[in-house]
Amino acid sequence: MRLALLGCGTVGSEVVRLLHEQSADLAARIGAPLEIAGIAVRRIGRDRGDLPVDPALFTTDPLGLIKRDDVDVVVEVVGGIEPARGWLVEALRAGKSVVTANKALLAEDGGSLHDAAAEGGGDLYYEAAVAGAIPLLRPLRESLHGDRITRVTGIVNGTTNFILSAMDATGAGFAEALEEATELGYAEADPTADVEGFDAAAKAAILASLAFHTRVSAADVHREGITEVTAADVASAKAMGCTIKLLCIAARGADAAGRETVSVRVHPAMIPLTHPLASVGDAFNAVFVEAEAAGQLMFYGRGAGGAPTASAVLGDVVAVSRNRLAGVRAASESAYADLPVRPMGEALTRYHISLDVTDRPGVLAAVAGVFARHDVSIATVRQGPAGEGAAGRGEDADLVIVTHVAPDAALAATVRELRGLDIVRSVASVLRVEGGA
Ligand code: NDP
Ligand code: HSE
Protein backbone atom coordinates (compact mmCIF):
# COMPACT_ATOMS: atom_id res chain seq x y z
CA MET A 1 0.00 0.00 0.00
CA ARG A 2 1.70 3.22 -1.20
CA LEU A 3 0.99 6.45 0.57
CA ALA A 4 1.47 10.07 -0.53
CA LEU A 5 1.85 12.35 2.48
CA LEU A 6 0.94 15.99 1.87
CA GLY A 7 2.40 18.04 4.72
CA CYS A 8 5.09 17.18 7.26
CA GLY A 9 4.54 19.70 10.05
CA THR A 10 3.18 19.13 13.57
CA VAL A 11 0.86 16.30 12.50
CA GLY A 12 2.65 15.03 9.38
CA SER A 13 5.98 14.49 11.14
CA GLU A 14 4.23 12.38 13.80
CA VAL A 15 2.51 10.37 11.06
CA VAL A 16 5.97 9.64 9.61
CA ARG A 17 7.33 8.68 13.02
CA LEU A 18 4.42 6.34 13.83
CA LEU A 19 4.57 4.76 10.36
CA HIS A 20 8.24 4.03 10.97
CA GLU A 21 7.92 2.79 14.57
CA GLN A 22 4.85 0.63 13.97
CA SER A 23 5.48 -0.56 10.44
CA ALA A 24 5.37 -4.27 11.28
CA ASP A 25 2.15 -4.00 13.29
CA LEU A 26 0.51 -1.78 10.70
CA ALA A 27 1.42 -4.22 7.93
CA ALA A 28 -0.05 -7.09 9.93
CA ARG A 29 -3.25 -5.19 10.62
CA ILE A 30 -3.68 -4.11 7.00
CA GLY A 31 -2.46 -7.31 5.37
CA ALA A 32 0.22 -5.53 3.32
CA PRO A 33 3.17 -3.28 4.09
CA LEU A 34 2.59 0.49 4.14
CA GLU A 35 5.19 2.51 2.30
CA ILE A 36 5.62 6.24 1.88
CA ALA A 37 5.80 7.04 -1.85
CA GLY A 38 6.58 10.72 -1.29
CA ILE A 39 6.12 13.66 1.07
CA ALA A 40 5.00 17.04 -0.27
CA VAL A 41 6.12 20.09 1.71
CA ARG A 42 6.50 23.81 1.11
CA ARG A 43 10.19 24.19 2.08
CA ILE A 44 12.31 21.26 0.99
CA GLY A 45 15.38 22.46 2.89
CA ARG A 46 13.62 22.87 6.26
CA ASP A 47 15.38 21.25 9.21
CA ARG A 48 13.20 18.27 10.17
CA GLY A 49 15.37 17.01 13.02
CA ASP A 50 15.96 13.28 13.10
CA LEU A 51 12.79 12.35 11.24
CA PRO A 52 13.18 8.65 10.32
CA VAL A 53 12.64 9.09 6.58
CA ASP A 54 14.69 9.12 3.36
CA PRO A 55 15.24 12.82 2.42
CA ALA A 56 14.85 11.85 -1.24
CA LEU A 57 11.12 11.34 -0.62
CA PHE A 58 10.48 15.08 -0.15
CA THR A 59 8.99 17.08 -3.01
CA THR A 60 7.44 20.50 -3.52
CA ASP A 61 5.11 19.13 -6.20
CA PRO A 62 2.01 17.75 -4.40
CA LEU A 63 -0.02 17.38 -7.59
CA GLY A 64 2.74 15.45 -9.33
CA LEU A 65 2.95 13.13 -6.31
CA ILE A 66 -0.82 12.58 -6.17
CA LYS A 67 -0.97 11.71 -9.87
CA ARG A 68 1.67 8.99 -9.65
CA ASP A 69 0.28 5.55 -10.56
CA ASP A 70 2.01 3.90 -7.61
CA VAL A 71 0.11 6.03 -5.05
CA ASP A 72 -2.95 4.33 -3.49
CA VAL A 73 -3.70 6.56 -0.49
CA VAL A 74 -3.29 10.33 -0.12
CA VAL A 75 -2.92 11.72 3.41
CA GLU A 76 -3.43 15.50 3.60
CA VAL A 77 -2.11 17.28 6.69
CA VAL A 78 -1.35 20.69 5.18
CA GLY A 79 -4.57 22.55 6.04
CA GLY A 80 -6.41 25.51 4.50
CA ILE A 81 -8.93 25.63 1.69
CA GLU A 82 -6.76 26.06 -1.41
CA PRO A 83 -4.69 24.42 -2.79
CA ALA A 84 -5.76 21.49 -0.58
CA ARG A 85 -9.25 21.32 -2.15
CA GLY A 86 -7.80 21.00 -5.66
CA TRP A 87 -5.35 18.29 -4.59
CA LEU A 88 -7.97 16.19 -2.82
CA VAL A 89 -10.59 16.49 -5.55
CA GLU A 90 -7.92 15.42 -8.06
CA ALA A 91 -6.90 12.45 -5.89
CA LEU A 92 -10.46 11.31 -5.21
CA ARG A 93 -11.59 11.61 -8.84
CA ALA A 94 -8.59 9.47 -9.78
CA GLY A 95 -9.91 6.75 -7.47
CA LYS A 96 -7.33 7.18 -4.68
CA SER A 97 -8.45 6.98 -1.07
CA VAL A 98 -8.00 10.14 0.97
CA VAL A 99 -7.35 10.69 4.67
CA THR A 100 -7.42 14.30 5.81
CA ALA A 101 -7.35 16.27 9.06
CA ASN A 102 -8.48 19.44 7.29
CA LYS A 103 -11.56 20.62 9.20
CA ALA A 104 -11.55 24.04 7.53
CA LEU A 105 -11.87 22.50 4.06
CA LEU A 106 -14.43 19.87 5.13
CA ALA A 107 -16.60 22.54 6.75
CA GLU A 108 -16.26 24.93 3.82
CA ASP A 109 -16.83 22.48 1.00
CA GLY A 110 -17.04 18.88 2.23
CA GLY A 111 -19.69 18.31 -0.44
CA SER A 112 -17.17 18.63 -3.29
CA LEU A 113 -14.89 16.09 -1.62
CA HIS A 114 -17.73 13.61 -1.05
CA ASP A 115 -18.91 14.05 -4.65
CA ALA A 116 -15.38 13.44 -5.94
CA ALA A 117 -15.07 10.33 -3.74
CA ALA A 118 -18.35 8.98 -5.11
CA GLU A 119 -17.12 9.66 -8.65
CA GLY A 120 -13.73 7.98 -8.17
CA GLY A 121 -14.84 5.11 -5.94
CA GLY A 122 -12.22 5.65 -3.20
CA ASP A 123 -12.72 6.35 0.49
CA LEU A 124 -12.74 9.75 2.22
CA TYR A 125 -11.91 9.53 5.94
CA TYR A 126 -11.32 12.45 8.30
CA GLU A 127 -11.41 11.27 11.94
CA ALA A 128 -8.64 13.71 12.95
CA ALA A 129 -10.59 16.74 11.72
CA VAL A 130 -12.75 16.93 14.86
CA ALA A 131 -11.48 16.45 18.40
CA GLY A 132 -8.05 15.08 17.38
CA ALA A 133 -7.40 11.69 18.90
CA ILE A 134 -10.95 11.06 20.10
CA PRO A 135 -12.70 8.32 18.12
CA LEU A 136 -15.86 10.30 17.41
CA LEU A 137 -16.62 10.56 13.70
CA ARG A 138 -16.49 6.80 13.10
CA PRO A 139 -19.04 6.22 15.93
CA LEU A 140 -21.27 8.90 14.42
CA ARG A 141 -20.95 7.64 10.87
CA GLU A 142 -21.06 3.92 11.65
CA SER A 143 -21.88 2.78 15.20
CA LEU A 144 -24.84 5.14 15.67
CA HIS A 145 -26.34 4.64 12.22
CA GLY A 146 -29.08 2.49 13.72
CA ASP A 147 -30.16 5.27 16.06
CA ARG A 148 -31.56 8.78 15.84
CA ILE A 149 -29.23 11.41 17.25
CA THR A 150 -31.09 14.32 18.79
CA ARG A 151 -28.30 16.56 20.03
CA VAL A 152 -24.52 16.90 20.06
CA THR A 153 -22.93 19.23 22.61
CA GLY A 154 -19.17 19.54 22.56
CA ILE A 155 -16.05 21.24 23.79
CA VAL A 156 -14.08 20.92 20.56
CA ASN A 157 -11.45 23.63 20.88
CA GLY A 158 -8.60 22.99 23.29
CA THR A 159 -7.15 26.50 23.24
CA THR A 160 -10.36 28.17 24.39
CA ASN A 161 -11.02 25.44 26.92
CA PHE A 162 -7.59 26.06 28.40
CA ILE A 163 -8.28 29.81 28.58
CA LEU A 164 -11.74 29.45 30.15
CA SER A 165 -10.47 26.81 32.60
CA ALA A 166 -7.65 29.17 33.65
CA MET A 167 -10.11 32.07 34.08
CA ASP A 168 -12.30 29.82 36.22
CA ALA A 169 -9.41 28.55 38.34
CA THR A 170 -7.62 31.85 38.97
CA GLY A 171 -10.18 34.61 38.41
CA ALA A 172 -7.98 36.01 35.63
CA GLY A 173 -9.42 38.08 32.79
CA PHE A 174 -9.45 36.91 29.16
CA ALA A 175 -6.29 38.78 28.12
CA GLU A 176 -4.26 37.41 31.02
CA ALA A 177 -5.44 33.83 30.43
CA LEU A 178 -4.72 34.13 26.68
CA GLU A 179 -1.19 35.29 27.50
CA GLU A 180 -0.66 32.22 29.67
CA ALA A 181 -2.06 29.95 26.92
CA THR A 182 0.36 31.53 24.42
CA GLU A 183 3.35 31.17 26.76
CA LEU A 184 2.56 27.49 27.31
CA GLY A 185 2.17 26.86 23.56
CA TYR A 186 -1.57 26.16 23.62
CA ALA A 187 -2.54 29.30 21.71
CA GLU A 188 -1.00 30.11 18.33
CA ALA A 189 0.74 33.44 17.63
CA ASP A 190 -2.47 34.48 15.85
CA PRO A 191 -5.20 33.00 18.06
CA THR A 192 -8.12 34.41 16.03
CA ALA A 193 -9.39 31.09 14.63
CA ASP A 194 -9.59 29.65 18.13
CA VAL A 195 -10.75 32.55 20.32
CA GLU A 196 -13.28 33.86 17.79
CA GLY A 197 -14.81 30.39 17.46
CA PHE A 198 -13.98 29.74 13.76
CA ASP A 199 -12.18 26.46 14.55
CA ALA A 200 -15.07 25.21 16.72
CA ALA A 201 -17.62 26.31 14.10
CA ALA A 202 -15.88 24.24 11.41
CA LYS A 203 -15.96 21.21 13.72
CA ALA A 204 -19.63 21.89 14.59
CA ALA A 205 -20.51 21.82 10.87
CA ILE A 206 -18.77 18.45 10.43
CA LEU A 207 -20.45 16.97 13.51
CA ALA A 208 -23.90 18.24 12.49
CA SER A 209 -23.50 16.87 8.95
CA LEU A 210 -22.74 13.40 10.29
CA ALA A 211 -25.26 13.41 13.14
CA PHE A 212 -28.20 14.64 11.09
CA HIS A 213 -27.48 13.19 7.61
CA THR A 214 -27.49 16.69 6.19
CA ARG A 215 -24.84 18.81 4.52
CA VAL A 216 -24.03 21.59 7.00
CA SER A 217 -21.27 24.06 6.19
CA ALA A 218 -19.38 26.55 8.36
CA ALA A 219 -21.56 29.34 6.90
CA ASP A 220 -24.64 27.65 8.48
CA VAL A 221 -23.15 27.79 11.97
CA HIS A 222 -23.94 30.68 14.32
CA ARG A 223 -20.58 31.64 15.82
CA GLU A 224 -19.53 33.69 18.84
CA GLY A 225 -16.06 33.49 20.39
CA ILE A 226 -14.84 33.98 23.94
CA THR A 227 -13.14 37.38 23.67
CA GLU A 228 -16.04 39.13 25.42
CA VAL A 229 -16.15 36.72 28.38
CA THR A 230 -15.09 38.66 31.48
CA ALA A 231 -13.84 37.71 34.92
CA ALA A 232 -17.19 39.06 36.20
CA ASP A 233 -19.06 36.60 33.93
CA VAL A 234 -16.99 33.74 35.31
CA ALA A 235 -17.69 34.91 38.88
CA SER A 236 -21.41 35.16 38.07
CA ALA A 237 -21.37 31.61 36.75
CA LYS A 238 -19.60 30.39 39.87
CA ALA A 239 -22.22 32.04 42.08
CA MET A 240 -24.84 30.01 40.19
CA GLY A 241 -22.95 26.70 40.64
CA CYS A 242 -21.90 26.83 36.98
CA THR A 243 -18.82 27.21 34.82
CA ILE A 244 -18.39 28.79 31.38
CA LYS A 245 -17.40 26.70 28.35
CA LEU A 246 -17.21 27.42 24.63
CA LEU A 247 -19.78 24.95 23.38
CA CYS A 248 -20.65 23.67 19.96
CA ILE A 249 -24.28 22.63 19.93
CA ALA A 250 -26.04 20.85 17.09
CA ALA A 251 -29.65 19.96 17.75
CA ARG A 252 -32.72 18.69 16.01
CA GLY A 253 -35.86 20.77 16.39
CA ALA A 254 -38.97 21.87 14.58
CA ASP A 255 -39.78 25.17 12.92
CA ALA A 256 -43.06 27.09 13.39
CA ALA A 257 -44.72 24.90 10.75
CA GLY A 258 -43.64 21.73 12.58
CA ARG A 259 -41.05 20.79 9.93
CA GLU A 260 -37.97 19.04 11.28
CA THR A 261 -34.87 21.27 11.27
CA VAL A 262 -31.40 21.45 12.75
CA SER A 263 -29.71 24.32 14.53
CA VAL A 264 -25.94 24.56 14.82
CA ARG A 265 -24.19 27.10 16.99
CA VAL A 266 -20.95 27.88 18.77
CA HIS A 267 -20.91 30.28 21.70
CA PRO A 268 -19.80 30.53 25.31
CA ALA A 269 -22.40 29.26 27.75
CA MET A 270 -22.85 28.59 31.45
CA ILE A 271 -23.26 24.92 32.30
CA PRO A 272 -23.97 23.49 35.76
CA LEU A 273 -20.99 21.94 37.54
CA THR A 274 -22.98 18.68 37.57
CA HIS A 275 -22.97 18.50 33.74
CA PRO A 276 -20.46 15.95 32.37
CA LEU A 277 -18.80 18.66 30.23
CA ALA A 278 -18.16 20.94 33.24
CA SER A 279 -15.25 18.82 34.47
CA VAL A 280 -13.44 18.89 31.11
CA GLY A 281 -10.44 21.08 31.96
CA ASP A 282 -7.20 22.33 30.42
CA ALA A 283 -6.91 21.79 26.68
CA PHE A 284 -8.98 18.59 26.62
CA ASN A 285 -11.95 18.07 24.31
CA ALA A 286 -15.19 16.21 25.02
CA VAL A 287 -18.36 15.63 23.08
CA PHE A 288 -21.69 14.68 24.63
CA VAL A 289 -24.03 12.88 22.23
CA GLU A 290 -27.71 12.27 22.90
CA ALA A 291 -29.55 9.66 20.84
CA GLU A 292 -33.06 8.30 21.15
CA ALA A 293 -32.18 4.67 21.81
CA ALA A 294 -28.58 4.89 23.05
CA GLY A 295 -29.30 7.71 25.49
CA GLN A 296 -26.35 9.82 26.57
CA LEU A 297 -22.79 9.12 25.39
CA MET A 298 -19.62 10.99 26.27
CA PHE A 299 -16.39 11.06 24.23
CA TYR A 300 -13.31 12.54 25.92
CA GLY A 301 -9.62 12.98 25.17
CA ARG A 302 -6.94 15.06 23.50
CA GLY A 303 -8.24 17.21 20.70
CA ALA A 304 -4.92 18.42 19.32
CA GLY A 305 -1.17 17.87 19.25
CA GLY A 306 1.04 16.02 16.79
CA ALA A 307 0.94 12.49 18.21
CA PRO A 308 -2.76 12.41 19.27
CA THR A 309 -3.84 13.74 15.87
CA ALA A 310 -1.51 11.36 14.04
CA SER A 311 -3.11 8.48 15.95
CA ALA A 312 -6.47 9.34 14.38
CA VAL A 313 -4.87 9.80 10.94
CA LEU A 314 -3.17 6.40 11.15
CA GLY A 315 -6.42 4.72 12.23
CA ASP A 316 -8.00 6.06 9.04
CA VAL A 317 -5.02 4.98 6.94
CA VAL A 318 -5.42 1.42 8.23
CA ALA A 319 -9.17 1.46 7.49
CA VAL A 320 -8.90 2.79 3.93
CA SER A 321 -5.94 0.51 3.16
CA ARG A 322 -7.87 -2.55 4.28
CA ASN A 323 -10.80 -1.50 2.15
CA ARG A 324 -8.59 -1.11 -0.92
CA LEU A 325 -7.02 -4.51 -0.42
CA ALA A 326 -10.48 -6.06 -0.06
CA GLY A 327 -11.67 -4.17 -3.16
CA VAL A 328 -14.46 -2.44 -1.24
CA ARG A 329 -15.19 1.08 -0.10
CA ALA A 330 -16.82 2.37 3.06
CA ALA A 331 -20.42 3.55 3.01
CA SER A 332 -20.59 6.82 1.11
CA GLU A 333 -21.73 10.16 2.52
CA SER A 334 -25.13 10.03 4.20
CA ALA A 335 -26.91 13.31 3.49
CA TYR A 336 -30.34 11.95 2.57
CA ALA A 337 -32.24 13.82 5.32
CA ASP A 338 -31.28 17.23 3.88
CA LEU A 339 -32.83 19.08 6.85
CA PRO A 340 -33.10 22.86 6.71
CA VAL A 341 -30.80 24.74 9.08
CA ARG A 342 -32.73 27.03 11.41
CA PRO A 343 -31.41 30.59 11.97
CA MET A 344 -29.98 31.38 15.42
CA GLY A 345 -32.96 33.61 16.27
CA GLU A 346 -35.19 30.53 16.24
CA ALA A 347 -32.86 28.36 18.33
CA LEU A 348 -34.24 27.70 21.80
CA THR A 349 -31.87 28.95 24.48
CA ARG A 350 -31.89 30.26 28.05
CA TYR A 351 -30.23 33.44 29.26
CA HIS A 352 -28.57 34.44 32.51
CA ILE A 353 -28.76 38.24 32.79
CA SER A 354 -27.05 40.27 35.47
CA LEU A 355 -28.30 43.87 35.89
CA ASP A 356 -27.34 46.85 38.02
CA VAL A 357 -30.68 48.56 38.71
CA THR A 358 -32.07 51.44 40.75
CA ASP A 359 -33.40 50.08 44.06
CA ARG A 360 -36.86 51.60 44.43
CA PRO A 361 -40.51 50.45 44.30
CA GLY A 362 -41.73 49.26 40.91
CA VAL A 363 -38.31 48.49 39.44
CA LEU A 364 -38.71 44.71 39.61
CA ALA A 365 -42.16 44.97 38.05
CA ALA A 366 -40.82 47.16 35.22
CA VAL A 367 -37.98 44.72 34.52
CA ALA A 368 -40.37 41.74 34.63
CA GLY A 369 -42.66 43.59 32.23
CA VAL A 370 -39.92 43.68 29.57
CA PHE A 371 -39.57 39.90 29.73
CA ALA A 372 -43.35 39.48 29.53
CA ARG A 373 -43.61 41.76 26.48
CA HIS A 374 -41.20 39.48 24.62
CA ASP A 375 -42.99 36.35 25.81
CA VAL A 376 -39.93 35.25 27.77
CA SER A 377 -40.66 33.37 30.97
CA ILE A 378 -38.45 34.05 34.02
CA ALA A 379 -37.18 30.97 35.86
CA THR A 380 -35.37 32.58 38.81
CA VAL A 381 -34.68 36.07 40.13
CA ARG A 382 -32.06 36.91 42.73
CA GLN A 383 -31.62 40.39 44.14
CA GLY A 384 -28.69 41.46 46.26
CA PRO A 385 -27.00 44.65 47.37
CA ALA A 386 -25.23 46.51 44.59
CA GLY A 387 -21.69 45.42 43.82
CA GLU A 388 -18.49 47.40 43.73
CA GLY A 389 -18.88 51.07 42.77
CA ALA A 390 -22.46 51.45 43.93
CA ALA A 391 -21.66 50.04 47.38
CA GLY A 392 -22.70 52.25 50.23
CA ARG A 393 -25.03 54.44 48.21
CA GLY A 394 -27.99 52.27 49.14
CA GLU A 395 -29.76 53.22 45.94
CA ASP A 396 -28.73 50.41 43.54
CA ALA A 397 -29.25 46.67 43.54
CA ASP A 398 -27.83 43.73 41.59
CA LEU A 399 -30.52 41.71 39.87
CA VAL A 400 -29.72 38.29 38.45
CA ILE A 401 -32.39 36.78 36.24
CA VAL A 402 -32.35 33.34 34.64
CA THR A 403 -34.98 32.64 32.01
CA HIS A 404 -36.78 29.54 30.85
CA VAL A 405 -36.12 28.38 27.31
CA ALA A 406 -37.21 30.86 24.62
CA PRO A 407 -36.29 31.67 21.01
CA ASP A 408 -32.89 33.36 21.00
CA ALA A 409 -34.29 36.35 19.08
CA ALA A 410 -36.84 37.02 21.86
CA LEU A 411 -34.13 36.82 24.52
CA ALA A 412 -31.85 39.15 22.57
CA ALA A 413 -34.70 41.64 22.07
CA THR A 414 -35.42 41.51 25.83
CA VAL A 415 -31.80 42.42 26.61
CA ARG A 416 -31.87 45.25 24.05
CA GLU A 417 -34.97 46.75 25.70
CA LEU A 418 -33.53 46.33 29.20
CA ARG A 419 -30.42 48.28 28.12
CA GLY A 420 -32.69 51.20 27.16
CA LEU A 421 -34.54 51.45 30.52
CA ASP A 422 -33.46 54.38 32.70
CA ILE A 423 -33.89 52.25 35.86
CA VAL A 424 -31.24 49.85 34.49
CA ARG A 425 -27.87 51.45 35.20
CA SER A 426 -25.96 48.71 33.38
CA VAL A 427 -26.32 45.21 31.98
CA ALA A 428 -23.34 43.65 33.71
CA SER A 429 -23.40 40.29 31.98
CA VAL A 430 -25.46 38.27 29.52
CA LEU A 431 -24.72 34.59 29.04
CA ARG A 432 -26.59 31.69 27.59
CA VAL A 433 -27.26 28.76 29.93
CA GLU A 434 -27.10 25.18 28.71
CA GLY A 435 -27.56 21.79 30.24
CA GLY A 436 -29.82 22.69 33.15
CA ALA A 437 -33.44 21.96 33.95
P1 NDP B 1 1.71 22.66 10.17
O1 NDP B 1 1.63 24.10 9.82
O2 NDP B 1 2.53 22.26 11.34
O3 NDP B 1 2.25 21.85 8.90
C1 NDP B 1 1.81 22.13 7.60
C2 NDP B 1 2.63 21.33 6.61
O4 NDP B 1 2.14 21.58 5.31
C3 NDP B 1 4.11 21.69 6.60
O5 NDP B 1 4.89 20.53 6.46
C4 NDP B 1 4.26 22.56 5.35
O6 NDP B 1 5.52 22.45 4.73
C5 NDP B 1 3.21 21.95 4.46
N1 NDP B 1 2.72 22.89 3.45
C6 NDP B 1 2.18 24.10 3.66
N2 NDP B 1 1.82 24.66 2.49
C7 NDP B 1 2.16 23.77 1.52
C8 NDP B 1 2.08 23.77 0.11
N3 NDP B 1 1.55 24.79 -0.55
N4 NDP B 1 2.53 22.69 -0.57
C9 NDP B 1 3.05 21.63 0.10
N5 NDP B 1 3.17 21.57 1.44
C10 NDP B 1 2.72 22.63 2.14
O7 NDP B 1 0.19 22.16 10.33
P2 NDP B 1 -0.37 21.04 11.32
O8 NDP B 1 0.42 19.80 11.17
O9 NDP B 1 -0.53 21.62 12.68
O10 NDP B 1 -1.86 20.84 10.76
C11 NDP B 1 -2.09 20.12 9.58
C12 NDP B 1 -3.59 19.86 9.43
O11 NDP B 1 -4.06 19.12 10.55
C13 NDP B 1 -4.46 21.13 9.38
O12 NDP B 1 -5.55 20.90 8.54
C14 NDP B 1 -4.97 21.26 10.82
O13 NDP B 1 -6.18 21.95 10.91
C15 NDP B 1 -5.15 19.79 11.16
N6 NDP B 1 -5.13 19.51 12.59
C16 NDP B 1 -4.05 19.89 13.34
C17 NDP B 1 -4.01 19.63 14.68
C18 NDP B 1 -2.84 20.02 15.52
O14 NDP B 1 -2.88 19.78 16.73
N7 NDP B 1 -1.80 20.60 14.95
C19 NDP B 1 -5.14 18.96 15.34
C20 NDP B 1 -6.19 18.54 14.46
C21 NDP B 1 -6.18 18.82 13.13
P3 NDP B 1 6.89 22.87 5.45
O15 NDP B 1 7.15 21.78 6.47
O16 NDP B 1 7.89 22.89 4.39
O17 NDP B 1 6.62 24.20 6.09
N1 HSE C 1 -6.49 24.95 17.54
C1 HSE C 1 -7.21 23.73 17.77
C2 HSE C 1 -7.55 23.67 19.25
C3 HSE C 1 -6.37 22.56 17.32
O1 HSE C 1 -7.16 24.53 20.05
O2 HSE C 1 -8.27 22.76 19.64
C4 HSE C 1 -7.18 21.35 17.01
O3 HSE C 1 -8.05 21.52 15.94
Side-chain angles (χ1 to χ4, degrees), residues 15 36 42 67 104 123 142 148 202 209 236 245 271 274 282 284 298 301 309 352 395:
V15 169
I36 299 179
R42 192 176 34 192
K67 285 180 174 169
D123 281 332
E142 292 176 13
R148 189 168 182 275
S209 301
S236 252
K245 296 291 184 189
I271 53 171
T274 49
D282 294 325
F284 279 87
M298 175 92 158
T309 309
H352 168 282
E395 53 194 36

Side-chain angles (χ1 to χ4, degrees), residues 5 7-18 51-52 77:
L5 180 63
C8 192
T10 306
V11 179
S13 56
E14 284 300 314
V15 169
V16 169
R17 192 179 59 77
L18 290 176
L51 204 63
V77 281

Side-chain angles (χ1 to χ4, degrees), residues 103 156-159 188 194 199 203 303-304:
K103 61 225 160 189
V156 291
N157 183 268
T159 306
E188 294 184 29
D194 293 320
D199 177 76
K203 293 165 179 168

Side-chain angles (χ1 to χ4, degrees), residues 156-220:
V156 291
N157 183 268
T159 306
T160 48
N161 201 49
F162 179 88
I163 292 170
L164 291 172
S165 301
M167 288 172 75
D168 188 81
T170 66
F174 169 76
E176 199 185 325
L178 171 60
E179 208 177 300
E180 189 191 351
T182 310
E183 272 166 22
L184 293 173
Y186 289 111
E188 294 184 29
D190 177 2
T192 312
D194 293 320
V195 300
E196 296 291 0
F198 290 102
D199 177 76
K203 293 165 179 168
I206 296 168
L207 289 175
S209 301
L210 292 172
F212 303 125
H213 308 274
T214 291
R215 281 187 179 178
V216 177
S217 75
D220 296 318

